[in-house]
Amino acid sequence: MAKIEVNGALLAYDEAGSGNPVVLVHAGIADRRMWRGLVPALAARHRVIAVDLRGYGDSELPAAPFAHHDDVVGLLDALGIASAALVGCSFGGRVAADAALAHPERVSALALFGAPVSGNEWSEETERLWEELVGEVNPEDLAATAAGEVRFWVVGPTRRPEDVDPELIRFAEEMDRQALAAEKALSAVEAGELDPPAIDRLTELRMPVLVGTGADDVADLRRLADRIAAEAPQGVRLPDVPDAAHLLPLERPEPVNAALLDFLP
């Protein structure tokens, strides 16, 4: 692990390999460790940087206003990188898409996995699923909240917990407990949003865009992936990966590695 100052905050990151740079941006229920199955394969051809967003993992959270998508580009500045491919999962995909829209000249390619881009609204179907699968949880109970979020996102609405590797569930809950603590701290800091948001600007994503989801992720995100791939001028939609839900790159790294090595410049 290394740390570097980005827009007044020390961000933690792991770096491996050489070649065209690729920045990996983690999900909101995770941290940079979720990329553990991708870094070795990608680093065989690329300079791979897995970052903890501000407040998450080992990164700091100063009280000053900030924007996650500006931090991603600030990381490129701090590392002397003119442009990079961005790979994001879930909230990290939202951040990566926002960075690509706010700073298009800095993003050579964009890969999004289960990404609810900014401005996206959840359907009533998804809200009902949450009530059925998770229900009311005390937000002060981080362990119970993490267990509920992992049940919904990592197991997914079409699988049972016993269908999923117990080590994946354990690791996801560990990451999510830390992420929930980070989100509580982040709620006290002013965070900038992309304006206008990405949902109505997908045609502006003019770099190559790869979009994928797990077959067991929520239907909203599979439909949104279809839309992103259709509206981005160079969008490519991967087939849904079987037996995988929201943290696709963590749960099924092999097909994700293969897709990215074929896609990345």
Side-chain angles (χ1 to χ4, degrees):
M1 181 192 73
K3 290 190 175 184
I4 196 165
E5 184 172 341
V6 174
N7 299 333
L10 281 177
L11 298 191
Y13 67 98
D14 297 323
E15 182 171 351
S18 61
N20 291 337
V22 179
V23 177
L24 308 177
V25 190
H26 61 81
I29 61 172
D31 54 52
R32 73 185 193 280
R33 292 177 293 166
M34 69 161 285
W35 303 106
R36 63 188 185 181
L38 268 66
V39 170
L42 297 181
R45 300 186 192 174
H46 298 275
R47 179 184 179 185
V48 182
I49 300 151
V51 64
D52 278 336
L53 294 171
R54 184 183 301 227
Y56 289 87
D58 295 307
S59 290
E60 291 185 343
L61 181 61
F66 76 101
H68 284 303
H69 59 274
D70 289 334
D71 277 356
V72 170
V73 174
L75 176 67
L76 301 184
D77 291 338
L79 294 174
I81 297 172
S83 66
L86 303 183
V87 179
C89 177
S90 185
F91 178 70
R94 168 180 169 148
V95 171
D98 284 354
L101 289 166
H103 308 276
E105 73 285 354
R106 306 300 299 276
V107 180
S108 59
L110 182 65
L112 306 174
F113 298 100
V117 296
S118 58
N120 174 67
E121 295 185 2
W122 298 110
S123 68
E124 291 184 4
E125 171 194 2
T126 296
E127 293 175 357
R128 283 196 304 271
L129 274 172
W130 178 272
E131 291 302 319
E132 292 171 8
L133 295 175
V134 181
E136 293 291 331
V137 178
N138 179 3
E140 298 300 317
D141 187 338
L142 298 188
T145 304
E149 290 191 342
V150 168
R151 170 63 186 91
F152 189 81
W153 294 113
V154 179
V155 175
T158 58
R159 297 189 293 185
R160 301 168 301 169
E162 53 266 33
D163 298 329
V164 178
D165 180 0
E167 169 57 22
L168 173 67
I169 292 176
R170 186 208 62 78
F171 181 50
E173 288 185 1
E174 175 195 331
M175 288 194 295
D176 194 23
R177 285 193 298 271
Q178 295 182 35
L180 287 164
E183 289 172 357
K184 184 175 182 179
L186 282 160
S187 68
V189 181
E190 182 181 343
E193 301 285 347
L194 185 71
D195 186 22
I199 192 66
D200 295 319
R201 300 174 59 185
L202 301 175
T203 58
E204 297 176 36
L205 293 171
R206 301 194 176 278
M207 65 290 296
V209 177
L210 181 70
V211 192
T213 59
D216 296 297
D217 206 346
V218 298
D220 274 5
L221 290 177
R222 300 200 308 276
R223 289 189 289 262
L224 181 56
D226 292 341
R227 177 177 172 183
I228 296 168
E231 294 188 19
Q234 297 188 70
V236 175
R237 177 70 158 96
L238 286 176
D240 287 343
V241 176
D243 196 23
H246 196 52
L247 294 189
L248 171 59
L250 173 64
E251 187 172 10
R252 297 283 176 254
E254 295 84 359
V256 175
N257 278 327
L260 287 173
L261 288 170
D262 186 54
F263 168 75
L264 291 170

